[in-house]
Amino acid sequence: LGAEGHPVPGLLGPPPRPADARLGSPSAAQLDPAVVAEADAVINLAGAGVGDRRWNDRYRQLIRSSRVDTTTTLATTIAGLPVADRPEVLLNSSAIGWYGNTGDRVVEEDAPAGEGFLADVARVWEAATRPAEDAGVRVVRLRTGLPLHRDGGLLKPQLLPFKLGIAGRLGSGRQWIPWISMTDWLNATTFLLARADLAGPVNVVGPAPVTNAEFTRELARQLNRPAVIPIPALALKVALGGFAQEALTSTRVLPGVLNRAQFTFRHPDLRTALHAALHD
């Protein structure tokens, strides 16, 4: 967006801050309404990383509060502005964790919330956008899958074990992974900014989910490394604690809204998405 000439000031709490940042701490309910009134659109991606560390009760609370509190502050601030000053759209991050464990069942945006910690977080996270929605602002809830990029997300922690030849499928490998290339995630987000006719939940995932076993085989092929050492579920629970169950969850999600809106994926299959993530 910045490269296209749009001013994109950040709403940041602790330093360091870029020169054009607007001071505020939405997670602590500190936000100057005048800052939001300057915006044509608000994009909220705030939230502590779910896979950054072992889960304990304190970190679970941080995962929840860093999402819900920030969203609540933004949505209520938007709703409190005069009608003429409200941004046209709020794009608010959510996650495919909304659906819980779907097994082999294919789901789209009309599926109800599932069960489990991340599904519960997603439910209250999305509900926190309602003040803005009730005020007449278009709200899009970005139910993001697992973006693929070598510098983070799903891919980064797997690269070294794969390169060393000590990687393999997680558990049974039958769980479905709703991946998306980083390029397609960015393109989908800007697409949704411009489409005034689209609102509500949108699955920001690739069009062809794969099982963990399929993902493992393709990543090993592209790295030209073996991937023959499966990681048992018990070992995952020892290594990851509470996050292990989520890592083994099967979520077979399709981008129903994006498909019907005729969004074009640059990387419609895992092979091209992984190649872009590793080499572009």
Side-chain angles (χ1 to χ4, degrees):
L1 290 171
E4 293 176 359
H6 301 284
V8 189
L11 294 175
L12 301 178
R17 303 181 179 99
D20 63 349
R22 304 296 195 264
L23 302 185
S25 181
S27 63
Q30 299 172 7
L31 183 58
D32 182 354
V35 172
V36 181
E38 297 175 6
D40 296 312
V42 175
I43 304 174
N44 175 27
L45 307 177
V50 296
D52 289 359
R53 63 183 74 172
R54 282 179 63 91
W55 288 2
N56 54 28
D57 289 344
R58 184 175 180 180
Y59 198 67
R60 284 174 182 263
Q61 180 56 37
L62 178 62
I63 289 171
R64 179 185 174 111
S65 63
S66 62
R67 289 161 170 76
V68 177
D69 294 352
T70 301
T71 301
T72 299
T73 300
L74 284 168
T76 55
T77 300
I78 289 170
L81 291 170
V83 174
D85 291 341
R86 292 171 188 161
E88 295 177 10
V89 59
L90 167 62
L91 261 61
N92 205 83
S93 187
S94 182
I96 50 86
W98 165 276
Y99 302 104
N101 192 339
T102 70
D104 291 327
R105 178 170 54 92
V106 175
V107 295
E108 293 189 3
E109 288 85 352
D110 58 350
E115 298 181 354
F117 172 69
L118 290 183
D120 290 341
V121 168
R123 186 164 36 241
V124 293
W125 191 7
E126 293 194 5
T129 66
R130 286 178 188 155
E133 192 171 47
D134 291 343
V137 173
R138 181 169 68 96
V139 174
V140 179
R141 301 177 182 96
L142 306 171
R143 289 181 184 167
T144 295
L146 300 169
L148 300 180
H149 194 277
R150 60 185 174 276
D151 293 333
L154 172 69
L155 202 53
K156 183 179 180 180
Q158 298 193 62
L159 290 181
L160 181 58
F162 268 84
K163 289 178 179 178
L164 293 175
I166 54 173
R169 70 177 191 271
L170 303 181
S172 70
R174 293 194 295 269
Q175 64 273 27
W176 290 87
I177 297 178
W179 58 269
I180 184 170
S181 77
M182 184 60 73
T183 296
D184 282 332
W185 187 91
L186 291 166
N187 289 345
T189 302
T190 54
F191 176 83
L192 291 164
L193 270 180
R195 284 291 297 264
D197 58 322
L198 299 179
V202 178
N203 294 334
V204 191
V205 297
V210 298
T211 65
N212 175 263
E214 292 171 315
F215 182 94
T216 299
R217 286 194 295 271
E218 181 58 30
L219 180 56
R221 188 188 71 79
Q222 295 211 22
L223 292 173
N224 196 27
R225 293 290 189 275
V228 295
I229 306 175
I231 302 174
L234 179 60
L236 278 177
K237 292 175 182 177
V238 171
L240 301 179
F243 181 56
Q245 186 59 47
E246 303 294 344
L248 294 169
T249 292
S250 178
T251 315
R252 193 175 184 182
V253 180
L254 292 181
V257 170
L258 289 175
N259 282 338
R260 287 187 289 275
Q262 298 184 320
F263 173 75
T264 300
F265 289 90
R266 285 188 57 187
H267 305 117
D269 56 72
L270 181 65
R271 180 184 60 81
T272 57
L274 277 178
H275 187 273
L278 295 170
H279 303 293
D280 289 356

